[in-house]
Amino acid sequence: MKNLFDYTLSSLTRHGLKNIVIIVIFGFLVFLLSSVIMITNSLALEYKTISKDFPDLLVQKRYGAKTYLISQKDVEPYWKMAGISSIEGRIWGQYYFERQQIYTSIFGIKSFVDYYQKEIKDIAEKLDNSSSGPLMITSQSILDFFEEDIETYDGSLPFFTPQNSMIRVGIGGVFKLKHSLENNDLILLDEDIAREILGIEKGYYADFVMRVSNPNEADFIADKIRLFDPTLKVITKKQMLQSYQVLYDYKSGWFLMLLIISFVSFSIILYDKASGLRSEEKKEIGILKALGWEISHIINYKLMESLILSMFAFTIGISLAMFFVYFLQAPGLKYVFSGYSELKQPFELIFSFDFKAIALIFFITIPLYVAVCIMPAWKIATMDSAEVLR
């Protein structure tokens, strides 16, 4: 056995250049697939953590494929519905800065409201205590992006209402939410100022969030609300999480494209191997048989050779993927899945190792490669050595 192992090692050295090419292509395939899986797992874990702050139910006014403002009267009947413990209206919306050509998210806050996120609840209390005029609390990326405008308007940022009147809002502070993916384009304003800028009249809201006493009954209560008023779109926490996962895990079809590239590369290797042995490899097997090697010896030699190559390439691919994703933070690739914006703040990919996914990559690559290496060798080994050498 030791002689067989020594011969396998010497064979790998003899065909050094060919084996290096196989290791590079095989390793790149494993690296690419592993990187994608690690990035998506990390983002999924981050959003799973964020989802703890999602409301039990989100209610919007929607009909004719359009979303409308929803009035306080629309949700008043549900205060009496069993299982609902609280209902809160939210003032929020997208605001477009024409000159900079960028969208931001405005969120209206006020004190004594039990927001789902404790950080926003704390900010609302502090913002309400301010008496120095309209103030906003926002992320550092927003302040950096609008630095010139803030200097031009003496430390404030101008907003325009639907009536084209300008509201100058001072900088009240910078927030940093505990989840880095949330610290991007959000601007927190007093609710009344947010209403003016977004053009939302008193008594109307962008949507409502509801708490339910027993989260297991959320789907049942959502169905009851839908039956009571078909114009209301009710989204449960589970549906919100599913939408986020679909949006970020497989964004823009890039995941599919990377998979196709990877499998095309791997198919080329398999085709090359499965199409038969080269003349020098056939000659080698013929000589080994003439020297007294049995078929099992040749099969073991090819099995050992293919396992060493594929395992070495697999280990390199996985190691490089972990270094690229968790140490280098996947430069360029992570924004393919999380979405890119000029206001996007750097965020860290948290460590998440999916053993099942890595095992899947292992079983769809190494056994296939080993099989296509052994089959042609077995076919030649069953032939007469004289015939092979001719």
Side-chain angles (χ1 to χ4, degrees), residues 338-379:
S338 68
Y340 177 76
S341 166
E342 290 184 75
L343 298 177
K344 177 80 78 178
Q345 287 190 339
F347 63 93
E348 288 189 5
L349 292 167
I350 53 179
F351 183 79
S352 173
F353 190 82
D354 188 345
F355 180 78
K356 291 181 180 176
I358 300 301
L360 178 65
I361 295 176
F362 180 91
F363 286 114
I364 63 174
T365 53
I366 290 183
L368 280 176
Y369 179 78
V370 171
V372 297
C373 288
I374 290 177
M375 291 300 289
W378 171 78
K379 189 176 178 183

Side-chain angles (χ1 to χ4, degrees), residues 30-171:
V30 174
F31 163 78
L32 196 57
L33 287 174
S34 305
S35 297
V36 169
I37 288 173
M38 289 176 188
I39 292 171
T40 52
N41 282 344
S42 181
L43 289 174
L45 181 61
E46 179 81 1
Y47 285 110
K48 190 176 180 181
T49 307
I50 293 174
S51 70
K52 293 176 182 175
D53 294 329
F54 284 180
D56 295 321
L57 297 176
L58 178 67
V59 181
Q60 296 175 326
K61 188 83 168 179
R62 187 176 177 85
Y63 50 88
K66 288 183 66 178
T67 302
Y68 297 86
L69 296 176
I70 181 169
S71 73
Q72 182 75 42
K73 293 179 182 176
D74 288 326
V75 297
E76 281 180 356
Y78 307 112
W79 278 106
K80 300 176 183 176
M81 184 175 285
I84 295 178
S85 57
S86 73
I87 302 175
E88 291 289 346
R90 300 195 306 179
I91 302 296
W92 70 275
Q94 295 272 295
Y95 182 85
Y96 185 65
F97 285 89
E98 186 67 37
R99 192 171 68 81
Q100 295 82 1
Q101 296 186 340
I102 197 162
Y103 280 97
T104 59
S105 297
I106 289 178
F107 191 85
I109 56 176
K110 62 180 180 181
S111 56
F112 307 114
V113 174
D114 190 15
Y115 293 103
Y116 272 88
Q117 286 176 283
K118 186 178 180 303
E119 297 111 310
I120 293 181
K121 185 178 177 182
D122 294 339
I123 293 171
E125 300 298 331
K126 294 175 184 175
L127 189 67
D128 190 60
N129 293 330
S130 173
S131 59
S132 55
L135 293 175
M136 69 178 189
I137 309 289
T138 187
S139 64
Q140 187 61 49
S141 57
I142 289 274
L143 297 182
D144 292 341
F145 187 82
F146 292 102
E147 185 177 4
E148 290 183 9
D149 298 82
I150 292 171
E151 287 180 4
T152 303
Y153 289 93
D154 298 326
S156 62
L157 190 63
F159 291 85
F160 291 89
T161 69
Q163 293 75 34
N164 207 28
S165 61
M166 186 174 75
I167 298 177
R168 293 170 60 167
V169 180
I171 310 303

